[in-house]
Amino acid sequence: MRRLLYMIPVAIGISIIAFLTMYAAGDPIALIKAGKPNINEATLSGLRTYYGLDKPIPLQYVNWLMNILQLNFGKSLYGGLPVNQIIGPRIWPTIELQIVSLLIAFAVSIPIAVQSARKPYSKQDVAVTSFSLFGVSMPTFWFGLILIIVFSFTLGWFPSAGSQGVAGFVWWGNSFFDQIAHLILPVAVLVYVSLAQNIRLIRANMLEVLRSDYILAARASGLSERKVVYSYALRNAITPAITFLGIALGGMIAGAPMTEYVFSWPGLGRQYVTSTLNLDFPTIMGITMIITVMTLIANLIMDVLYVYIDPRVRIR
Amino acid sequence: MTETLLKVEGLKTYFYTEAGIVKAVDGVSFDVRKGETLGLVGESGSGKTVTSLSVLRIVPKPGRIVEGKIELKGENLLAKSEKEMQSIRGREIAMIFQDPSSSLVPVYTVETQLRDVLSAHEKISKDDAHKKILDLMNLVGIPEAEIRMREFPHQFSGGMKQRVAIARALALEPELLFADEPTTALDVTIQAQVLDLLEDLKKKMGMSLVMITHDMGIIAKMTSRVVVMYAGNVAEIAKTDDLYYRPRHPYTALLLAAVPRLDRKKTLSIIPGNIPNLIEPPSGCRFHPRCEFATKKCEEAPPVLEEVEPDHFVACYEWKNITLKGETGKND
Amino acid sequence: MNLENEKPNGGGKRRSASQWAVAWRRFRRNKAGVAGLVIVLAVVFIGIFGDFIAPYPAYPANGAFGPFYKGDVRTAPNSHYLMGTDVLGTDVFSDILHGTKFALYVGVVVTIITMAIAILVGAVAGYFGSWVDNVLMRITEVFLVFPSLLFILIFVRVFTLGGGAGSSFNFLGISVPFGLTIVVVVLAIFNWPGDARMIRGEFLRVRELEFVEAEKALGAGNRRIIFRHILPNILSSIIVVASLTIAYAILLEAGVSFLGFGDVSTMTWGQILENNFSDMRIVWWAEVFPGLAILITVFGFNLLGDGLSDALNPRLRD
């Protein structure tokens, strides 16, 4: 698979840039010192040897890369826990949040975009387009804050933080419902944001496709409106959206810090924010690489889907 | 006189664009008789395609049929519900489009697309549909039909794609077929094959064919009667022979003079001026700004079609006063 | 579609003055676009005069309350403090007015840098084509699949380490906060690839037009063709993208600041949100109003961008 081969240099490129970022900043140990002025010199030089920072840079990179390939990200500079143990339990919550949101957003956006495209510039369409422009203009995290203020603080319907009830307190008296209750607000935020993007994209594609000759020809053959719109037009309008979806999913995963931070969601994004503020480089690099790989996998899945949906790519 | 299949009267189809109302078809009348091949000729922008889309009632937005009467075997199509129209499209009236590369859906196999048309009109099992599609593909001359029907449009050549499009149009043996410049997008060598195929199928199925074209050569080869359109109006209707040898409308004469011929060493004439802006069309006869015979009257009110000899109609005030040159040889 | 009402395409050399006039007339009829323009003009006005309109001065950098502040911390909105006071005791309404200039600074400067890189890369790739195009486009693709927010955060964090917060430099007599400038540069570095692809596409389109071929045949140099002939022709697309980029940059800066990576001593709207986040159960007004300011501003630029797009590239519309 050509695309798979193409991802390897991308991954290597990102890993080099990620690695060099540390050096662009100067000596990581000096950075720790800047962050924690009263740390003593002996500890620092101990750290230097421990992390292999006394070796030449290319060698450090190779060592680091080798370790990463064995899924060994080293130990956190804070608390000394292995990075794996920090990252491991946070991967699933992030994926869970993203996948649920993405699926809901996609399912909801299709009928809305289709209806909107069928009657362009009608009242309903204008409402939908302004709503989606509004959506892309809204800071993600701020929408989260508003939801928390309204539904959590004021109405008390949903929990405002975490992924499950704490200290014996279980929302809605059942641990399954409790999980769902915790998902609702963060999912709502992510859905609204990507809903807006999806609608704008699919609507634009639908408008284009509905103007094409094959739609006219399908109508001329007596196909029902339903068949024309949902089977012929939509299938063609969604194809370009699939590639975009890969980028969007990547963007959502990479954008996880915002939502996770607002809702104290125990995922990779929130951990990334904490670790970056602390300049905990092994953890930062670990999360960066995991998220990069997740983004690449997402892109790969979309590519496979694309090939499946568009025969012109499959057979030449 | 043969039976009338389709009768169009005073058809007006306008496009409500941001820039203004485009009067693409503005008062068009003609009829199509059973079993005949009628030519619909004119420059691009004269309203030929929009006329055929109007008959099928699939004018795309922001276009709308504003006025007129369209009767198929005496039944008014404009009074039909959308559901009734769906069962007429494809089964009684079908259409072939100009560019086969864009008129077939890229993401479905040929078999799927043809089956969709069949099952839109009748309950048909997958096996029966398969057999019927096989027959259809053989009928339109696609070799190795059994294999090729499982392929996608982009795997076909231009000529083969147009054959598929023809198969789709003929799937339910319609009585009337609109062919909208069916060969314009094809290689010259393929054009003749496709035209022969159409002619052949038309005879086999006994349907009526409306050839939409700007190519006077195709008109001469295929049609028995011609409707000449100009800027959304009908300029002249006549038997093909009459039209060629005794054109009555100045525009028709210019069209004929613009056709290159090997046996005539004369310089090819061009029609001066451009097709008019259809948002604010010229007053009176829409052709008057480009017409060498135009008089004051032509600018004032649009002329109506009048019968100048049996089966020969022309919309021109001056037809009696002018002598027009048709094809050489039998000119009278 | 072969609708028979295609108008002949102008294909002329450059958008003449009258074409701009036509675009303006088309834009004026677009209510949403005009609303966007009004919002943007209002924001620019507040950006320039906000410091004078604001009922209270900006939060004093040394932490000392000025004579206007009574140390009213966490006051709900009332007649004195239209939008309440925040955890530091500053007037939220004044903060928003003072912060407007920073939002504009972020939007405009990020866009200038982004567009400069994007035009350079897009022009070179689109004009020269072949392997140059290939290499440059592969690079932008890497950037596009890049988890850029992660890198923005780490870059900002690392580069603001050596102080920077609190200090400022003079540019044409205007005091510019140093920390915020670092954020702006980092945002621009990660923001150009998408725009570069768009400009490359436009270059490819215009390069094929006849007049460019003619210029080449007449022996005009590459630089002359790019700057004198192609760029003016894609100016309309650049204006549209620039407007949308301003909107995006303001959003992104707010996010970076909200996560705690911004310039702590520069009260951008995102920074106000961050400062009050942990106390938002009480000071909800300090979260709601600055966010609204971001929303309205970004919405304005997006509306303007869409309106311009409709007016300048009518081929996209019916």
Side-chain angles (χ1 to χ4, degrees):
Chain A
M1 200 120 170
R2 193 183 60 88
R3 187 74 190 193
L4 195 64
L5 289 175
Y6 163 71
M7 286 167 112
I8 294 168
V10 172
I12 292 177
I14 291 178
S15 77
I16 291 178
I17 295 172
F19 185 77
L20 288 180
T21 310
M22 290 196 276
Y23 282 91
D27 184 356
I29 299 300
L31 289 176
I32 296 174
K33 201 176 158 192
K36 276 197 168 176
N38 31 11
I39 197 164
N40 73 49
E41 239 4 88
T43 322
L44 284 179
S45 70
L47 281 173
R48 201 177 297 268
T49 333
Y50 181 81
Y51 289 107
L53 294 171
D54 43 359
K55 302 201 177 74
I57 292 176
L59 191 67
Q60 283 186 39
Y61 171 70
V62 172
N63 281 340
W64 177 73
L65 193 65
M66 280 308 165
N67 281 328
I68 280 186
L69 289 179
Q70 295 160 32
L71 293 179
N72 173 14
F73 296 104
K75 285 184 180 171
S76 163
L77 296 182
Y78 283 77
L81 227 59
V83 171
N84 285 355
Q85 281 185 29
I86 298 178
I87 297 179
R90 294 173 198 277
I91 295 178
W92 176 245
T94 294
I95 295 184
E96 178 192 21
L97 190 59
Q98 302 297 332
I99 298 279
V100 170
S101 314
L102 190 80
L103 291 180
I104 295 179
F106 212 59
V108 176
S109 59
I110 288 176
I112 298 178
V114 168
Q115 283 311 317
S116 190
R118 282 177 69 184
K119 295 198 172 113
Y121 309 110
S122 66
K123 262 191 194 133
Q124 182 204 356
D125 177 49
V126 169
V128 167
T129 43
S130 352
F131 156 85
S132 39
L133 195 66
F134 202 70
V136 294
S137 305
M138 182 133 68
T140 323
F141 59 90
W142 182 73
F143 184 50
L145 297 178
I146 297 297
L147 290 188
I148 290 178
I149 291 171
V150 175
F151 292 102
S152 234
F153 294 167
T154 311
L155 297 171
W157 290 356
F158 305 111
S160 66
S163 69
Q164 49 198 316
V166 278
F169 177 74
V170 174
W171 216 270
W172 296 351
N174 169 311
S175 68
F176 177 71
F177 287 133
D178 175 72
Q179 294 230 358
I180 294 192
H182 280 86
L183 266 172
I184 287 176
L185 292 186
V187 164
V189 170
L190 288 173
V191 166
Y192 184 60
V193 172
S194 55
L195 195 64
Q197 283 178 352
N198 284 347
I199 289 178
R200 280 166 75 81
L201 184 79
I202 298 177
R203 175 184 175 274
N205 287 340
M206 272 303 274
L207 277 179
E208 188 93 31
V209 169
L210 283 175
R211 258 181 248 151
S212 66
D213 266 4
Y214 54 78
I215 292 304
L216 210 52
R219 288 215 170 98
S221 315
L223 266 57
S224 66
E225 192 60 20
R226 206 188 150 78
K227 185 106 188 158
V228 169
V229 171
Y230 280 93
S231 164
Y232 280 49
L234 186 60
R235 175 80 180 261
N236 282 283
I238 274 198
T239 316
I242 293 289
T243 359
F244 174 80
L245 205 67
I247 297 173
L249 186 61
M252 275 171 86
I253 293 173
M258 302 275 187
T259 324
E260 293 188 1
Y261 182 72
V262 172
F263 291 98
S264 307
W265 191 259
L268 291 173
R270 182 161 155 265
Q271 182 62 43
Y272 187 85
V273 172
T274 315
S275 298
T276 310
L277 285 172
N278 286 338
L279 292 166
D280 181 0
F281 276 101
T283 314
I284 296 172
M285 291 302 128
I287 296 176
T288 308
M289 289 322 286
I290 293 272
I291 288 189
T292 303
V293 169
M294 279 163 64
T295 313
L296 291 179
I297 291 176
N299 271 293
L300 188 70
I301 293 174
M302 293 309 156
D303 278 354
V304 171
L305 217 62
Y306 190 85
V307 170
Y308 176 76
I309 280 191
D310 191 344
R312 279 165 298 186
V313 185
R314 203 183 324 157
I315 313 154
R316 45 183 81 241
Chain B
M1 199 181 187
T2 37
E3 208 181 319
T4 302
L5 182 64
L6 177 81
K7 194 175 170 69
V8 176
E9 247 181 64
L11 176 69
K12 290 186 180 179
T13 302
Y14 295 170
F15 287 81
Y16 296 82
T17 68
E18 240 182 277
I21 301 171
V22 179
K23 300 175 180 110
V25 172
D26 204 10
V28 163
S29 304
F30 64 93
D31 58 354
V32 182
R33 295 163 194 173
K34 241 187 184 137
E36 77 167 341
T37 301
L38 178 76
L40 205 54
V41 73
E43 291 165 280
S44 41
S46 59
K48 299 166 301 193
T49 303
V50 177
T51 302
S52 54
L53 297 179
S54 304
V55 171
L56 282 160
R57 276 183 47 198
I58 51 170
V59 181
K61 274 168 201 147
R64 216 173 64 212
I65 299 172
V66 184
E67 211 180 287
K69 212 152 90 185
I70 301 172
E71 281 181 357
L72 183 74
K73 290 182 286 185
E75 285 187 55
N76 185 4
L77 294 187
L78 294 181
K80 299 258 180 212
S81 72
E82 178 57 27
K83 197 109 217 142
E84 290 169 319
M85 274 315 289
Q86 276 173 18
S87 79
I88 289 170
R89 292 177 200 136
R91 196 167 59 183
E92 296 185 41
I93 311 174
M95 184 162 174
I96 304 167
F97 292 81
Q98 178 171 353
D99 182 1
S101 311
S102 62
S103 72
L104 295 167
V105 186
V107 296
Y108 292 123
T109 61
V110 166
E111 181 177 10
T112 310
Q113 296 191 40
L114 290 176
R115 197 191 318 123
D116 281 347
V117 175
L118 291 175
S119 55
H121 294 280
E122 55 198 31
K123 260 204 143 52
I124 186 165
S125 73
K126 227 173 168 171
D127 283 347
D128 290 348
H130 183 86
K131 274 186 213 114
K132 192 153 183 195
I133 292 164
L134 200 62
D135 290 346
L136 272 169
M137 290 185 67
N138 285 326
L139 184 71
V140 296
I142 297 173
E144 296 177 310
E146 183 72 53
I147 300 166
R148 302 229 65 183
M149 65 199 277
R150 266 172 266 144
E151 296 183 356
F152 292 92
H154 70 277
Q155 291 164 283
F156 287 71
S157 67
M160 284 296 151
K161 265 185 248 183
Q162 196 60 298
R163 284 171 195 263
V164 172
I166 293 173
R168 172 175 62 183
L170 299 183
L172 292 136
E173 303 185 12
E175 286 176 78
L176 176 59
L177 178 66
F178 283 93
D180 184 3
E181 311 225 9
T183 57
T184 312
L186 303 178
D187 287 347
V188 185
T189 44
I190 311 291
Q191 289 188 2
Q193 291 176 19
V194 171
L195 290 177
D196 287 345
L197 176 71
L198 273 176
E199 184 114 64
D200 185 41
L201 291 172
K202 186 209 137 209
K203 274 185 201 133
K204 261 188 209 160
M205 300 181 148
M207 62 184 175
S208 309
L209 178 63
V210 177
M211 277 299 289
I212 299 170
T213 181
H214 57 259
D215 183 338
M216 294 305 281
I218 292 178
I219 294 289
K221 178 174 155 25
M222 307 256 312
T223 66
S224 51
R225 273 195 325 132
V226 189
V227 177
V228 179
M229 286 189 67
Y230 182 80
N233 294 150
V234 172
E236 188 166 4
I237 304 177
K239 290 209 177 85
T240 309
D241 280 353
D242 290 347
L243 189 90
Y244 268 69
Y245 299 119
R246 291 184 302 279
R248 296 295 192 187
H249 198 285
Y251 175 66
T252 314
L254 284 168
L255 266 186
L256 288 170
V259 178
R261 279 182 45 150
L262 282 177
D263 59 344
R264 199 166 53 181
K265 287 248 161 82
K266 260 178 58 184
T267 38
L268 201 58
S269 56
I270 51 162
I271 305 179
N274 279 322
I275 192 119
N277 169 0
L278 292 179
I279 293 176
E280 284 161 36
S283 61
C285 171
R286 287 186 180 179
F287 188 61
H288 84 256
R290 294 167 81 182
C291 182
E292 57 175 314
F293 307 105
T295 62
K296 190 108 186 99
K297 198 173 175 192
C298 299
E299 294 173 32
E300 279 159 7
V304 286
L305 278 175
E306 51 182 308
E307 191 157 18
V308 299
E309 56 185 318
D311 245 3
H312 193 155
F313 301 82
V314 67
C316 179
Y317 293 118
E318 297 294 315
W319 68 270
K320 274 180 208 150
N321 311 332
I322 55 182
T323 327
L324 292 166
K325 213 165 143 56
E327 290 295 290
T328 42
K330 292 186 206 164
N331 201 2
D332 57 359
Chain C
M1 255 301 312
N2 88 61
L3 259 194
E4 303 193 9
N5 59 353
E6 285 164 21
K7 277 159 253 150
N9 200 344
K13 266 191 94 168
R14 207 178 288 177
R15 267 174 198 279
S16 59
S18 76
Q19 269 172 303
W20 289 106
V22 169
W24 166 241
R25 225 175 304 141
R26 212 180 289 129
F27 179 81
R28 248 184 355 197
R29 262 188 288 147
N30 182 343
K31 277 182 217 142
V34 172
L37 183 65
V38 170
I39 295 176
V40 167
L41 290 178
V43 170
V44 170
F45 179 82
I46 295 174
I48 298 171
F49 300 104
D51 291 352
F52 309 105
I53 306 170
Y56 299 95
Y59 185 73
N62 58 12
F65 285 105
F68 298 101
Y69 287 102
K70 302 190 190 80
D72 291 337
V73 178
R74 302 190 181 100
T75 320
N78 59 31
S79 56
H80 284 286
Y81 307 107
L82 280 179
M83 297 178 182
T85 64
D86 74 354
V87 288
L88 301 172
T90 59
D91 175 38
V92 174
F93 179 60
S94 301
D95 266 1
I96 291 175
L97 294 184
H98 292 303
T100 309
K101 57 178 180 293
F102 298 128
L104 285 175
Y105 173 68
V106 169
V108 170
V109 177
V110 167
T111 302
I112 290 175
I113 303 177
T114 301
M115 295 314 285
I117 305 177
I119 289 174
L120 190 71
V121 173
V124 170
Y127 185 77
F128 292 105
S130 79
W131 66 269
V132 181
D133 183 32
N134 243 320
V135 170
L136 287 174
M137 283 306 107
R138 288 298 89 76
I139 294 175
T140 57
E141 259 167 48
V142 172
F143 265 90
L144 281 176
V145 283
F146 225 63
S148 51
L149 181 65
L150 303 188
F151 281 85
I152 289 172
L153 292 183
I154 182 78
F155 268 63
V156 168
R157 177 73 179 107
V158 165
F159 287 129
T160 46
L161 263 183
S167 59
S168 58
F169 62 90
N170 239 356
F171 182 74
L172 302 176
I174 302 165
S175 158
V176 183
F178 189 68
L180 188 62
T181 306
I182 291 176
V183 177
V184 160
V185 171
V186 173
L187 290 186
I189 289 174
F190 286 93
N191 199 28
W192 61 268
D195 293 355
R197 286 177 85 84
M198 190 287 299
I199 288 172
R200 166 185 170 266
E202 287 291 283
F203 254 82
L204 286 179
R205 183 178 63 80
V206 175
R207 191 182 63 168
E208 304 303 326
L209 296 182
E210 275 167 33
F211 75 89
V212 175
E213 296 291 323
E215 281 290 330
K216 261 189 218 165
L218 289 173
N222 286 335
R223 197 186 302 175
R224 185 184 157 82
I225 293 178
I226 292 180
F227 286 99
R228 297 293 300 277
H229 299 292
I230 299 187
L231 272 183
N233 263 287
I234 63 172
L235 192 61
S236 59
S237 307
I238 291 178
I239 292 174
V240 170
V241 175
S243 174
L244 300 177
T245 305
I246 292 177
Y248 186 66
I250 294 175
L251 264 188
L252 210 53
E253 189 279 331
V256 169
S257 293
F258 174 71
L259 291 178
F261 291 80
D263 181 348
V264 235
S265 57
T266 309
M267 275 300 159
T268 64
W269 293 334
Q271 196 64 48
I272 306 174
L273 293 175
E274 153 67 2
N275 289 346
N276 298 288
F277 176 48
S278 47
D279 276 340
M280 66 183 264
R281 193 181 271 273
I282 306 156
V283 289
W284 57 265
W285 51 87
E287 296 294 287
V288 171
F289 296 116
L292 267 180
I294 300 173
L295 173 60
I296 292 170
T297 305
V298 173
F299 193 47
F301 278 103
N302 275 334
L303 281 175
L304 179 65
D306 270 19
L308 287 174
S309 165
D310 280 353
L312 294 169
N313 304 321
R315 64 199 143 96
L316 298 177
R317 245 186 118 139
D318 274 338

